[in-house]
Amino acid sequence: MLPLKERTVMPKRPRLVMQGNLILAMDVSPAKGNPEPVQRGEVKGFSKASRKRMIQQCAKMGAAIPIFLTLTYGENYPLDPAEWKNHLASWGKRLVRYNSDLSAIWRLEPQKRGAPHYHLLIYQKDGKKPFVPKEWIAQSWHEVLGEYSDSNHLKAGTRVESLRSSRGAAFYVAKYCAKLPEDDYFPPEWEKAGRLWGSFNKKALPEAKQHEMLLHSEMEQNAVLFVMKDAY
């Protein structure tokens, strides 16, 4: 047995904590203290911080496969953002009544004419690709909108796209859901629109379980730090 002063102390390997495709943390030592949670201010548009939180929420879904849904308004639409949110909330309740295992992550954004529309990723609790009839989606959205929808809008007011994999979901998040205001037209009056993304029936979202990985080399550690710096 080596004398105490000659013993080699092996460095602790960094521990990578994952949830789905999201890197939650890379720990090299036990956490210390209990930091105060970050206090968020008034919601004013879709900030870079909001975008990050949305991407992170979608990444937590891991291998779950959603369907991609767009809900639009016709020629006539309400000017009060509170009505837009009420319409989405009402439709979300109908979806959950239709199937309580369904949930959604939604994103509100303006069309060039100023009208609001929603992009949604619809998930099933078990992570399998959900099935919701296109006819039901069109009819339920038409009924929720009431005076703001007609027979023409019933036919053209919704769009459903089936995704083949969780990678497809990541593509749609990047292309449609996670665009910043400077990426597209953003009317000044939309500053009063409040939250521009969220979820409903959150308890049914198929969030992946957390798991841990050990990083075995300095190259692996640097690669993770690079990804976290760029994406988080």
Side-chain angles (χ1 to χ4, degrees):
M1 185 173 179
L2 293 173
L4 183 61
K5 64 178 181 179
E6 296 182 17
R7 290 180 193 171
T8 301
V9 179
M10 297 299 292
K12 181 179 179 181
R13 289 178 179 173
R15 181 172 58 92
L16 183 66
V17 185
M18 300 282 295
Q19 184 175 10
N21 299 318
L22 176 65
I23 300 172
L24 294 177
M26 188 174 79
D27 297 334
V28 294
S29 60
K32 296 181 180 180
N34 183 23
E36 292 293 326
V38 176
Q39 297 296 321
R40 299 180 189 170
E42 181 183 356
V43 178
K44 295 182 179 179
F46 192 57
S47 66
K48 290 184 179 180
S50 296
R51 179 179 184 269
K52 285 184 179 181
R53 286 192 291 270
M54 182 179 184
I55 291 174
Q56 290 171 357
Q57 177 62 66
C58 292
K60 289 180 182 180
M61 300 301 104
I65 303 175
I67 57 175
F68 183 74
L69 172 62
T70 302
L71 303 175
T72 68
Y73 285 86
E75 183 178 351
N76 298 316
Y77 59 91
L79 300 179
D80 184 358
E83 285 195 69
W84 312 340
K85 300 294 181 61
N86 287 338
H87 288 153
L88 180 68
S90 296
W91 187 83
K93 290 176 181 178
R94 289 186 179 222
L95 181 70
V96 175
R97 285 199 298 268
Y98 174 81
N99 184 344
S100 61
D101 284 343
L102 297 179
S103 57
I105 297 173
W106 58 265
R107 166 81 160 93
L108 170 64
E109 66 175 4
Q111 296 176 324
K112 290 189 182 292
R113 64 190 176 106
H117 70 289
Y118 289 100
H119 294 303
L120 301 95
L121 293 170
I122 307 294
Y123 288 94
Q124 191 164 282
K125 193 173 184 178
D126 60 7
K128 296 179 180 178
K129 182 163 61 176
F131 173 74
V132 186
K134 294 181 180 179
E135 298 78 12
W136 182 90
I137 292 173
Q139 183 64 37
S140 58
W141 182 239
H142 169 73
E143 292 175 1
V144 163
L145 294 190
E147 63 179 306
Y148 297 109
S149 184
D150 55 24
S151 57
N152 291 328
H153 183 257
L154 171 62
K155 298 176 183 177
T158 59
R159 185 175 77 246
V160 183
E161 298 180 54
S162 181
L163 306 180
R164 295 183 179 180
S165 67
S166 57
R167 289 185 179 181
F171 169 80
Y172 275 90
V173 168
K175 184 175 181 180
Y176 295 103
C177 298
K179 290 188 296 184
L180 289 168
E182 56 263 30
D183 295 333
D184 208 345
Y185 175 69
F186 196 76
E189 59 270 21
W190 272 60
E191 293 294 333
K192 300 179 181 179
R195 290 197 66 184
L196 298 183
W197 81 275
S199 62
F200 52 77
N201 202 23
K202 192 170 183 178
K203 64 182 180 181
L205 283 172
E207 293 187 354
K209 293 182 179 180
Q210 293 187 22
H211 63 279
E212 297 181 5
M213 300 171 58
L214 290 178
L215 301 178
H216 299 282
S217 70
E218 185 177 351
M219 183 179 294
E220 289 177 336
Q221 297 172 38
N222 290 337
V224 171
L225 288 172
F226 177 80
V227 170
M228 294 180 74
K229 178 181 178 182
D230 255 24
Y232 299 90

